[in-house]
Amino acid sequence: MARIVMKFGGTSVGDCDRIKNVARLVKAEVERGNEVAVVLSAMSGVTNQLVDYCKQMAPLHDQREYDAVVATGEQVTVGLLAIGLQELGLKARSWTGWQVPIRTDGAHGKARIETIEIDELAASIVSGQIAVVAGFQGIGPDNRVATLGRGGSDTSAVALAAALNADRCDIYTDVDGVYTTDPRIVAKARKLDKITYEEMLELASLGAKVLQTRSVEMAMKHRVRVQVLSSFSDAPGTLVCDEDEIVEKELVSGIAYSRDEAKITLVKVSDRPGVAAAIFGPLADASVNVDMIVQNVSEDGKSTDLTFTVTKGDLDRAVKVLHEKQGELGYERLVPDSNVVKVSVIGMGMRSHAGVAQKMFSTLAEKSINIQVISTSEIKVSVLIAEEYTELALRALHTAYGLDAQ
């Protein structure tokens, strides 16, 4: 007998018919002889509607009351699924976050899970009852409902799987696994049977929408095996697991892209010690996250150009901060550019193989795509290019690294 946590997203529980389909999937898992806990999101669109209600009442609302409102979406779906499972002759009950309880810190609206007091819920599972748990929520130190932020249901599921010492956490969504790149852009993208935690974390942080970054971090920390599959097909999914479970590692596992990038160039910055701290310190104080950075060589020893990227949402704020500091920083002019995209090649095989970056650069050069900024890590090479070349770059790189489906 295995212990499985099954998590279903908003599209999987979008209406009563879909919740009945989820009940059938859960029943099939129980009939295989497994102990099951289920974690649910709210119905698709419901959380957005609840957030909008809060904004209509007051643009700057009390985050504790906001949590009380938005947490109700999951309360509805867990109750409905418990009813659906009972209708199929199974023992089931719903659990909200505070009933488990899932204890969080006090950052309402974006809380982090601290502990899960699992004894009562585990005992009910051992007795043969299916636990249907509300995702996205817990209870804060102030004894009030706290929500985990967008994508928090994935995090709830992985955290519950870790606390229950589950054999696997199955995350059901509207896609049937993790692909080598976006199949909407590259028709020859293929589904991966397995991918390491590290590779999935890079993909998630670089724009792949399959899993939420925090959930992958938690899975990697607690070594929870996570399977991504579709609630709308019987196709096998993708297993996110430890590197040791993958016998033959691909040189490159996937190619990700992020359109949420903007570039800022500061022209003729004073080339002196401490200038980088003087630039990035105020940006950090304004909660602007800087990603890729490149500094040109100073020809005269007096001035240099500095280029870096921020998210598109932070661009206006970053420009405002830097304009206010122009006199202090001593740059000649600021050039913003939001017409860029970050393309990244990811793979554990990079650790032991040379030439991965060179192949990326030569492939883009053959397509006359200019590289504006480069950054690397142990298992990733990222470049910044003009946004209009996104599709061309993805298809060319996908073919160059031998990822095309046969």
Side-chain angles (χ1 to χ4, degrees):
M1 179 184 290
R3 180 172 285 181
I4 309 294
V5 172
M6 305 171 74
K7 184 266 173 179
F8 295 89
T11 52
S12 301
V13 292
D15 55 37
C16 286
D17 285 339
R18 289 189 173 183
I19 293 172
K20 288 177 181 178
N21 178 58
V22 167
R24 288 189 287 271
L25 291 171
V26 174
K27 183 181 182 183
E29 198 64 67
V30 171
E31 287 175 343
R32 293 186 191 104
N34 295 325
E35 294 179 340
V36 176
V38 186
V39 175
L40 299 184
S41 297
M43 292 180 177
S44 53
V46 166
T47 302
N48 286 341
Q49 183 64 71
L50 295 170
V51 170
D52 190 53
Y53 287 153
C54 293
K55 289 178 179 175
Q56 287 180 44
M57 293 305 295
L60 295 173
H61 42 257
D62 183 336
Q63 283 295 104
R64 294 163 300 184
E65 301 303 345
Y66 165 93
D67 279 355
V69 173
V70 299
T72 61
E74 284 73 19
Q75 188 170 329
V76 171
T77 51
V78 295
L80 290 174
L81 180 59
I83 292 170
L85 290 167
Q86 291 165 4
E87 186 68 11
L88 294 176
L90 300 167
K91 291 198 297 180
R93 72 152 280 191
S94 63
W95 301 74
T96 57
W98 65 266
Q99 288 174 312
V100 176
I102 297 170
R103 299 205 178 273
T104 73
D105 63 18
H108 285 275
K110 53 184 179 190
R112 300 185 78 85
I113 296 172
E114 294 191 335
T115 59
I116 301 180
E117 295 173 17
I118 213 71
D119 292 350
E120 187 181 352
L121 185 135
S124 76
I125 293 172
V126 170
S127 74
Q129 189 177 67
I130 300 165
V132 187
V133 182
F136 176 66
Q137 63 182 256
I139 184 166
D142 54 1
N143 214 32
R144 300 183 68 167
V145 172
T147 64
L148 309 182
R150 285 313 177 94
S153 291
D154 281 359
T155 306
S156 298
V158 174
L160 189 67
L164 286 168
N165 197 25
D167 296 271
R168 198 176 66 241
C169 179
D170 289 345
I171 295 187
Y172 289 80
T173 179
D174 50 2
V175 296
D176 60 355
V178 180
Y179 281 75
T180 48
T181 194
D182 189 339
R184 295 168 300 180
I185 292 178
V186 182
K188 292 183 177 180
R190 56 185 170 83
K191 187 168 61 180
L192 297 166
D193 294 328
K194 293 180 179 179
I195 188 170
T196 68
Y197 297 117
E198 291 88 347
E199 289 168 328
M200 190 67 241
L201 190 57
E202 292 284 8
L203 285 170
S205 65
L206 291 164
K209 305 296 185 189
V210 181
L211 285 176
Q212 201 260 354
T213 307
R214 274 168 65 191
S215 68
V216 183
E217 288 174 345
M218 186 168 288
M220 184 163 66
K221 178 181 177 182
H222 296 286
R223 288 300 186 256
V224 174
R225 299 164 80 245
V226 175
Q227 184 174 217
V228 180
L229 17 86
S230 171
S231 30
F232 306 114
S233 79
D234 295 328
T238 300
L239 184 68
V240 185
C241 58
D242 197 87
E243 187 179 356
D244 296 341
E245 283 198 55
I246 302 175
V247 177
E248 191 159 348
K249 299 171 191 64
E250 298 276 0
L251 175 62
V252 167
S253 296
I255 299 168
Y257 69 100
S258 171
R259 297 186 192 272
D260 187 27
E261 304 288 328
K263 181 180 71 167
I264 294 174
T265 300
L266 297 179
V267 180
K268 291 198 173 179
V269 180
S270 298
D271 191 10
R272 55 179 171 79
V275 70
I279 291 167
F280 297 120
L283 291 174
D285 293 341
S287 299
V288 174
N289 187 41
V290 174
D291 183 17
M292 308 169 84
I293 304 171
V294 62
Q295 183 173 348
N296 293 338
V297 175
S298 173
E299 290 185 10
D300 56 8
K302 294 179 181 178
S303 65
T304 182
D305 295 346
L306 187 72
T307 297
F308 57 92
T309 63
V310 298
T311 63
K312 282 183 177 169
D314 282 341
L315 178 60
D316 290 343
R317 188 157 24 128
V319 169
K320 181 174 182 290
V321 168
L322 293 169
H323 275 318
E324 289 171 352
K325 297 281 184 179
Q326 184 169 8
E328 182 184 328
L329 298 173
Y331 62 84
E332 187 175 281
R333 71 181 191 277
L334 184 156
V335 183
D337 182 6
S338 58
N339 182 36
V340 292
V341 66
K342 179 166 67 173
V343 176
S344 304
V345 170
I346 298 148
M348 296 295 286
M350 292 186 197
R351 288 176 173 171
S352 54
H353 290 79
V356 175
Q358 188 276 331
K359 178 172 282 192
M360 184 183 202
F361 303 153
S362 61
T363 300
L364 295 176
E366 286 167 11
K367 299 296 181 182
S368 300
I369 299 172
N370 186 47
I371 296 170
Q372 301 177 25
V373 183
I374 301 167
S375 70
T376 64
S377 74
E378 191 178 23
I379 64 166
K380 175 192 71 181
V381 181
S382 297
V383 298
L384 199 71
I385 61 173
E387 190 170 16
E388 57 262 33
Y389 294 116
T390 306
E391 288 81 1
L392 177 60
L394 286 176
R395 292 180 187 127
L397 291 168
H398 200 266
T399 299
Y401 286 106
L403 296 175
D404 289 354
Q406 298 303 314

